[in-house]
């Protein structure tokens, strides 16, 4: 009788210090679950790694047994790329070390950390590094794919602030990547995702960010086209200190929102002004507010940076059904704004949403070939997200998301932010890296010629390299 991969791992991984969990073990269902409850996969083994040595052992086991290998940090990816059926999930969650150096303005972060943990470590020093908008997101997944969020216009993308990284390659070798060491890997991981190895540790640059003036401004959903066109014309010319992403959605049925607004469909802007000067923030927001009807709610207020970073955590907890699509956007013509208004009015569930994240300011300080993240000339990244807690609505939210995407895609720049794509095939991956894809494929052929790290937005090894 053949033994299972979990049994084989127990026998073979004698130097492994972490936890090996198979289908017959207690805690398996919890260990295999990911953020998006629409993803329900059954790996043969979940290996929770406590060190780079553990990671190397697990990589070797999956490689030698010919098993699919998924790498999971926070497990937030919409397509469920941090898990697999009948393969090995390399779970980095025990790698939680965080070391802040206030003098050097750096933070060293273990590959299993989530952003809320980093924010809580850096904020007491009045420092932060760019991350996303939900603090339970994994550091590794978000950073390696780009890293858009509240600090993009002021401080750049997450990839722009990676100074060093420690990786374990498909061969099991442990390497260090920086501008001076393994520079090819350093270039590739800044936007190329998990294609090149498992990052066990990052070193990020920190910025002076402590208190911010942040919060939403909401208008009735019927004003979506008007608000979006005004926002489109306003934000790219605002100072870098002011970030604001556009959204359509519904007012959450909970404090601090007034009861009379609960579940009302809205459009709006979620602001983040980097600084504690409320009067300066108000002056910078004023041109947009003055150009539009009075909002239903205008809520920006001073708060610690971690507060805005975690503001969406309660709205979007682990266990909801999610279906995503995404695009990069250069322009938002009036025709596109009207289509956004149409789909905003048809929101299928109260948690479903569309976000339009700005990509300018500090993000435009880098050329398209400076990092693997190619779309430096884009103005926005759009994401269409059908979300609901009820599995019975899975088809409903998927249909709305796909229809929304299909209607707006003709106005896109061609590719998409890989962190917000589903499993959409090689053509979409190539479009998202444009001219950088060929270089990435050569590095892939050198560092992972067998494409062991393929359960991702996959960059295929160049042939003949």
């Amino acid at each position: 009788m053949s033994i299972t991969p979990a049994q084989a791992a127990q026998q073979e991984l004698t130097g492994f210090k972490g936890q090996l969990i198979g289908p017959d073990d207690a805690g398996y269902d919890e260990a295999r679950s990911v953020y998006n409850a629409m993803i329900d996969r059954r790996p043969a083994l979940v290996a929770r790694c406590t060190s780079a040595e553990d990671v190397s052992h697990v990589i070797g086991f999956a490689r030698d047994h010919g098993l699919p290998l998924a790498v999971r940090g926070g497990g937030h990816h919409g397509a469920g790329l941090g898990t697999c059926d009948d393969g090995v999930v390399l779970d980095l969650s025990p790698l939680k070390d965080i070391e802040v150096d206030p003098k050097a303005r750096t933070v060293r972060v273990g590959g299993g950390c989530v952003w809320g943990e980093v924010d809580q470590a850096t904020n007491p020093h009045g420092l932060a590094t760019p991350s996303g908008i939900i603090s339970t997101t994994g550091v590794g997944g978000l950073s390696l794919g780009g890293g858009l969020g509240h600090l993009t216009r002021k401080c750049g993308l997450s990839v722009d602030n990676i100074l060093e990284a420690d990786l374990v390659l498909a061969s099991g070798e442990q390497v260090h990547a920086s501008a001076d060491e393994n520079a090819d890997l350093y270039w590739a991981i800044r936007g190329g995702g998990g294609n090149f190895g498992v990052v066990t540790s990052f070193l990020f640059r920190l910025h002076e960010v402590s208190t911010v003036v942040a919060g939403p401004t909401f208008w009735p959903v019927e004003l979506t086209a008007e608000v979006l066109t005004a926002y489109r014309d306003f934000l790219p010319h605002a100072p870098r200190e002011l970030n604001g992403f556009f959204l359509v959605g519904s007012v959450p049925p909970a404090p601090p929102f007034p009861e009379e607004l609960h579940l009302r469909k809205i459009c709006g802007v979620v602001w983040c002004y980097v600084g504690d000067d409320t009067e300066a923030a108000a002056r910078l927001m004023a041109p947009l507010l003055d150009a539009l009807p009075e909002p239903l709610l205008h809520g920006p207020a001073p708060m610690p940076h971690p507060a805005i970073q975690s503001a969406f955590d309660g709205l979007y907890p682990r266990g909801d059904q999610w279906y995503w699509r995404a695009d990069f956007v250069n322009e938002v013509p009036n025709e596109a704004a009207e289509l956004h208004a149409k789909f905003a009015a048809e929101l299928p569930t109260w948690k479903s949403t569309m976000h339009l994240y700005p990509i300018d300011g500090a993000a435009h300080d880098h050329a398209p070939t400076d990092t693997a993240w190619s779309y430096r000339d884009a103005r926005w990244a759009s994401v269409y997200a059908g979300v609901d807690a009820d599995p019975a609505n899975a088809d409903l939210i998927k249909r709305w998301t796909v229809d929304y995407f299909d209607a707006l895609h003709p106005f896109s720049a061609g590719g998409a932010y890989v962190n917000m794509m589903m499993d959409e095939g090689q053509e979409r991956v190539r479009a998202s890296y444009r001219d950088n894809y060929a270089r990435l494929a050569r590095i892939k052929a050198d560092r992972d010629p067998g494409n062991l790290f393929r359960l991702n937005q996959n960059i295929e090894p160049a042939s003949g390299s």
Side-chain angles (χ1 to χ4, degrees):
M1 181 182 295
S2 62
I3 65 172
T4 67
Q7 291 168 335
Q10 292 286 355
Q11 294 177 11
E12 297 175 25
L13 296 181
T14 55
F16 186 78
K17 304 299 184 185
Q19 186 180 14
L20 300 172
I21 305 169
D24 296 329
D25 293 323
Y28 172 75
D29 283 335
E30 184 277 330
R32 72 183 179 89
S33 70
V34 291
Y35 181 77
N36 181 3
M38 196 178 286
I39 307 300
D40 184 23
R41 298 190 180 134
R42 301 188 66 84
L45 174 68
V46 177
R48 288 178 170 157
C49 299
T50 62
S51 65
E53 289 73 23
D54 277 357
V55 171
S56 182
H57 284 306
V58 174
I59 287 173
F61 178 83
R63 184 188 64 237
D64 295 345
H65 285 265
L67 293 169
L69 177 66
V71 182
R72 187 169 76 208
H76 263 245
H77 198 280
L81 297 179
T83 187
C84 60
D85 283 321
D86 304 319
V88 177
V89 171
L90 194 162
D91 184 348
L92 293 169
S93 60
L95 296 178
K96 293 290 193 185
D97 288 348
I98 299 175
E99 299 175 10
V100 181
D101 186 334
K103 186 174 181 180
R105 291 188 185 175
T106 61
V107 59
R108 191 170 299 280
V109 180
C113 291
V114 299
W115 278 112
E117 294 163 341
V118 179
D119 294 334
Q120 292 299 327
T122 61
N123 187 254
H125 302 283
L127 300 169
T129 196
S131 54
I133 68 161
I134 295 180
S135 76
T136 57
T137 307
V139 169
L142 183 125
S143 299
L144 295 174
L148 285 167
H150 294 299
L151 300 182
T152 297
R153 300 190 76 238
K154 175 66 174 177
C155 305
L157 307 172
S158 296
V159 294
D160 300 332
N161 292 278
I162 297 175
L163 299 174
E164 302 173 4
D166 295 313
L167 296 88
V168 184
L169 305 183
S171 63
E173 180 186 2
Q174 298 177 37
V175 299
H176 185 75
S178 67
D180 301 319
E181 190 175 352
N182 292 299
D184 60 334
L185 274 177
Y186 179 61
W187 179 85
I189 64 171
R190 289 179 294 152
N195 274 282
F196 307 95
V198 178
V199 178
T200 56
S201 175
F202 296 88
L203 184 70
F204 290 101
R205 177 187 297 109
L206 293 172
H207 302 261
E208 290 189 14
V209 180
S210 179
T211 300
V212 296
V213 180
T217 303
F218 292 153
W219 287 268
V221 73
E222 294 80 9
L223 295 181
T224 296
E226 182 178 353
V227 175
L228 178 52
T229 53
Y231 166 85
R232 166 202 72 191
D233 296 336
F234 161 76
L235 194 74
H237 305 288
R240 294 182 176 195
E241 287 75 16
L242 185 66
N243 201 92
F245 69 84
F246 181 84
L247 86 163
V248 300
S250 303
V251 178
F257 302 103
E259 281 192 36
E260 63 269 21
L261 295 183
H262 286 183
L263 298 180
R264 181 163 178 175
K265 292 181 181 179
I266 50 86
C267 64
V269 179
V270 177
W271 303 100
C272 182
Y273 168 80
V274 181
D276 59 3
D277 189 335
T278 55
E279 292 184 2
R283 284 195 301 271
L284 295 183
M285 297 173 193
L288 180 64
L289 296 171
D290 292 346
L292 291 166
E294 184 177 352
L296 296 170
L297 178 147
H298 181 61
M303 63 184 69
H305 173 252
I308 187 61
Q309 285 294 111
S310 59
F312 284 87
D313 291 4
L315 176 59
Y316 294 118
R318 184 186 184 96
D320 282 346
Q321 306 276 313
W322 284 76
Y323 194 85
W324 291 4
R325 286 293 174 90
D327 265 323
F328 285 122
V329 177
N330 291 333
E331 304 291 341
V332 184
N334 292 347
E335 184 181 355
E338 294 292 346
L339 285 169
H340 279 290
K342 172 184 181 295
F343 284 94
E346 299 171 356
L347 283 162
T349 61
W350 76 267
K351 286 192 177 187
S352 295
T353 190
M354 187 282 301
H355 292 179
L356 198 63
Y357 298 103
I359 306 169
D360 58 14
H364 278 185
D365 290 345
H366 301 267
T369 57
D370 286 353
T371 65
W373 208 85
S374 167
Y375 273 85
R376 297 291 181 169
D377 53 343
R379 286 285 187 182
W380 288 279
S382 61
V383 59
Y384 316 94
V387 189
D388 197 61
D390 189 350
N393 287 327
D395 289 341
L396 175 69
I397 62 177
K398 180 177 179 179
R399 184 166 63 251
W400 175 82
T401 300
V402 172
D403 288 348
Y404 199 165
F405 168 81
D406 286 347
L408 271 297
H409 184 63
F411 300 95
S412 76
Y417 178 34
V418 294
N419 285 354
M420 293 177 174
M421 287 167 53
M422 300 301 280
D423 190 1
E424 300 171 34
Q426 218 7 240
E427 183 178 345
R428 281 288 277 165
V429 175
R430 287 176 178 268
S432 299
Y433 288 111
R434 299 193 292 187
D435 293 344
N436 286 343
Y437 188 90
R439 182 179 175 186
L440 287 164
R442 291 193 298 270
I443 297 170
K444 178 77 169 182
D446 180 47
R447 299 294 185 159
D448 181 19
N451 205 9
L452 179 67
F453 302 119
R454 61 184 179 274
L455 298 184
N456 45 39
Q457 301 298 353
N458 193 231
I459 295 163
E460 296 177 339
S463 58
S465 295

